[in-house]
Amino acid sequence: MGRGGRGSIPLRGVAMGARSTVASNQIFALVDVNNFYVSCERVFNPRLQHQPVVVLSNNDGCAVARSEQVKTLGIKMGTPWFQLKDLAEKHNIIALSSNYTLYGDMSDRVMTILRGYSPNVETYSIDESFLSLNGLGNLWPTATDMGQCIRYRVRKWTGLPVCVGIGPSKTLAKLANHIAKTHPEMEGVCDLVSMPSARLNAHLSAIEVREVWGVGRRIGAHLHAAGIKTAQALRDVSPVWLRAKFGVVMERTGNELRGTSCLALEEVVAHRKQIVSSRSFGQLVHTLPELGESVTSYMTSAAEKLRRQRSMCEAVQVFIETNPFREQDPQYSNSITVPLPNPSCDTRLLVRAALFGLKKIYRPGFAYKKAGVMLIGLGEAAVSQGSLLVQHGAGEKSERLMEAMDALNRRYGRNTVAIASAGTTRAWGMRRECMSPCYTTNWSDVPVAQAR
Ligand SMILES: [Mg+2]
């Protein structure tokens, strides 16, 4: 894949992290994996290929991903699993627990492939990326050819099906992707840049205005009330009226629909201002040691995120709560913030602070449903100043220990090295009754092929 040759062409409006002013001649591609979680499961379990499949949220709560067959049955996103059981039996729907380790790794693989097609890629969500195609036009006979090549390579290298939408603005690239998905004859690629305007109008007039990126349900209802029911109608309405009625964000959407790019590629993900790690338990938890194990484990992953963005935090907050829906149970919830003696990203110190806080707020005699931690006062990890005071959980020794711990866990898998108070049994762990193996991230889960 050649990228060179035309490197001197300025990529207008794709400055790092900046929102551009109106720029012309932009081309964006939106690459989106079809039914991402279900598709990941199907890669490693071909028996699921033509079956109706749903993936359930944490603790097997509700449907967060659906195969086409399930969508056809009219099952909505977010339907609780217990409401689906009868239907599932009737239609042989297979339900799987969400395997975020697998999905995260498959997502990384797709993003790595996409970076081979453009030097400017914005990862928009776990299964969607925007690519800037500015200045790359002469590498391909047509943009559709490039789209087909992306589809072929992602399928060949990861097993995942993707659709590619191409447009002169991000909003139109999104719509193009939607058109590609809903028109099988396009074979997964739709290029609105080169589409004749009569055909473009026909497509836009058939798309519900709520499908337009950034419109959503509430504004969609207002637009409907004003008689604007399709993407085409939204494109053709006066920008002055749009601005007066809905503000600058909708005015910008109108401009984007007319092919004027207002939203630049955002390649640099802004640093998080706070990091939260919390989860509901798979079963109710009563004792302090069990709560301590879960808090240690949540803090471990929060601290890893903190170090990944090269930050330190100044305080940690811990919270615990009972299940408000179990009205028969006595209720209690509380949280506490524990300031640190100095900013730190050392898992040991953060865990110690969190457990100290937990001990203060824990009350016996309650059935706890959820616990979590939040890191507060995030700032850049500064080179440690020579201080007369002992720096707890900072300084060179701590830094090197944490680096070694992260490296071991990256190489040999999560929790290879962990803080002892996280425990080893994890009775409080999530309920995931039908989770697939971590095919791509755990040696013992690698699929075995048998040749005869
Ligand atoms: Mg998708």
Side-chain angles (χ1 to χ4, degrees):
M1 175 90 7
R3 280 192 223 158
R6 308 284 292 175
S8 58
I9 289 185
L11 300 175
R12 265 178 297 166
V14 290
M16 303 277 271
R19 286 202 178 274
S20 78
T21 50
V22 174
S24 55
N25 303 325
Q26 300 274 332
I27 305 186
F28 296 94
L30 177 73
V31 183
D32 181 26
V33 183
N34 308 348
N35 311 323
F36 181 57
Y37 298 168
V38 171
S39 297
C40 288
E41 299 287 351
R42 281 177 168 168
V43 168
F44 296 96
N45 187 352
R47 254 172 302 180
L48 301 173
Q49 209 55 251
H50 302 289
Q51 288 277 67
V53 180
V54 291
V55 173
L56 302 174
S57 59
N58 285 347
N59 292 316
D60 297 343
C62 45
V64 289
R66 305 156 297 157
S67 69
E68 315 78 59
Q69 297 89 340
V70 172
K71 288 179 187 169
T72 315
L73 286 171
I75 292 168
K76 295 266 174 302
M77 197 74 162
T79 311
W81 174 233
F82 71 86
Q83 280 179 16
L84 285 177
K85 282 199 170 147
D86 290 343
L87 210 59
E89 216 160 284
K90 200 167 146 206
H91 297 279
N92 276 327
I93 300 176
I94 296 172
L96 298 166
S97 306
S98 40
N99 183 347
Y100 289 113
T101 313
L102 174 67
Y103 311 150
D105 185 62
M106 293 299 277
S107 168
D108 279 349
R109 286 163 195 245
V110 174
M111 302 314 168
T112 305
I113 295 172
L114 297 182
R115 279 193 286 273
Y117 285 87
S118 166
N120 305 96
V121 177
E122 172 190 342
T123 302
Y124 177 68
S125 73
I126 193 165
D127 68 332
E128 281 175 81
S129 285
F130 286 105
L131 278 61
S132 165
L133 305 186
N134 298 351
L136 306 177
N138 62 334
L139 294 173
W140 303 92
T142 67
T144 303
D145 290 326
M146 189 215 57
Q148 287 300 349
C149 184
I150 291 179
R151 258 168 71 79
Y152 178 79
R153 182 170 289 185
V154 173
R155 176 69 112 173
K156 186 98 181 157
W157 290 8
T158 68
L160 293 169
V162 299
C163 281
V164 182
I166 298 157
S169 66
K170 285 166 92 175
T171 306
L172 282 173
K174 271 270 209 189
L175 274 186
N177 196 289
H178 174 77
I179 296 168
K181 280 219 174 75
T182 45
H183 290 76
E185 74 280 6
M186 291 191 165
E187 296 180 322
V189 180
C190 171
D191 174 14
L192 295 182
V193 177
S194 64
M195 190 179 276
S197 60
R199 229 180 121 207
L200 175 66
N201 288 343
H203 277 300
L204 294 187
S205 65
I207 296 173
E208 214 335 280
V209 73
R210 292 189 195 93
E211 288 291 340
V212 176
W213 192 34
V215 169
R217 206 181 292 173
R218 200 181 54 83
I219 293 179
H222 285 296
L223 286 169
H224 263 253
I228 296 161
K229 295 178 179 165
T230 67
Q232 188 188 26
L234 182 60
R235 179 195 66 183
D236 295 340
V237 78
S238 134
V240 179
W241 180 86
L242 260 186
R243 183 183 193 139
K245 259 326 246 197
F246 300 100
V248 285
V249 177
M250 268 299 112
E251 184 194 18
R252 206 164 54 192
T253 301
N255 289 336
E256 287 246 323
L257 284 174
R258 283 187 292 280
T260 307
S261 172
C262 308
L263 298 167
L265 218 58
E266 291 177 42
E267 293 164 77
V268 179
V269 179
H271 273 188
R272 301 167 205 243
K273 296 285 186 312
Q274 58 182 37
I275 293 173
V276 182
S277 174
S278 81
R279 224 167 277 150
S280 293
F281 305 132
Q283 59 193 66
L284 295 171
V285 164
H286 299 85
T287 69
L288 184 60
E290 280 180 302
L291 280 173
E293 286 183 10
S294 69
V295 164
T296 303
S297 157
Y298 300 154
M299 184 54 93
T300 303
S301 76
E304 272 171 18
K305 277 183 205 156
L306 186 68
R307 292 195 291 274
R308 219 174 298 142
Q309 68 171 47
R310 306 205 167 282
S311 300
M312 291 190 168
C313 72
E314 297 188 323
V316 306
Q317 189 187 77
V318 200
F319 59 90
I320 47 176
E321 57 194 55
T322 51
N323 185 351
F325 295 107
R326 285 177 61 94
E327 285 169 7
Q328 68 274 32
D329 288 355
Q331 297 294 321
Y332 172 69
S333 67
N334 203 352
S335 75
I336 186 171
T337 301
V338 183
L340 302 176
N342 47 265
S344 173
C345 59
D346 185 317
T347 305
R348 295 167 304 166
L349 179 73
L350 301 182
V351 164
R352 215 179 308 149
L355 292 178
F356 172 81
L358 175 67
K359 224 175 265 175
K360 295 242 171 218
I361 56 174
Y362 172 76
R363 300 283 176 274
F366 292 97
Y368 293 96
K369 174 68 186 158
K370 190 177 183 181
V373 298
M374 183 158 77
L375 306 184
I376 302 168
L378 268 47
E380 256 176 62
V383 186
S384 58
Q385 311 266 314
S387 164
L388 290 175
L389 300 164
V390 182
Q391 298 261 313
H392 294 280
E396 206 192 333
K397 220 169 146 188
S398 147
E399 230 169 77
R400 280 184 13 219
L401 179 67
M402 289 302 119
E403 261 169 36
M405 197 163 115
D406 290 342
L408 284 169
N409 287 335
R410 259 198 311 273
R411 175 141 187 211
Y412 297 104
R414 269 176 87 185
N415 296 318
T416 301
V417 187
I419 302 289
S421 54
T424 49
T425 52
R426 299 180 182 240
W428 46 269
M430 253 197 280
R431 194 165 64 231
R432 287 167 161 170
E433 279 165 5
C434 1
M435 192 165 93
S436 53
C438 293
Y439 299 106
T440 59
T441 53
N442 196 341
W443 282 119
S444 57
D445 288 350
V446 171
V448 177
Q450 286 170 351
R452 290 177 196 224

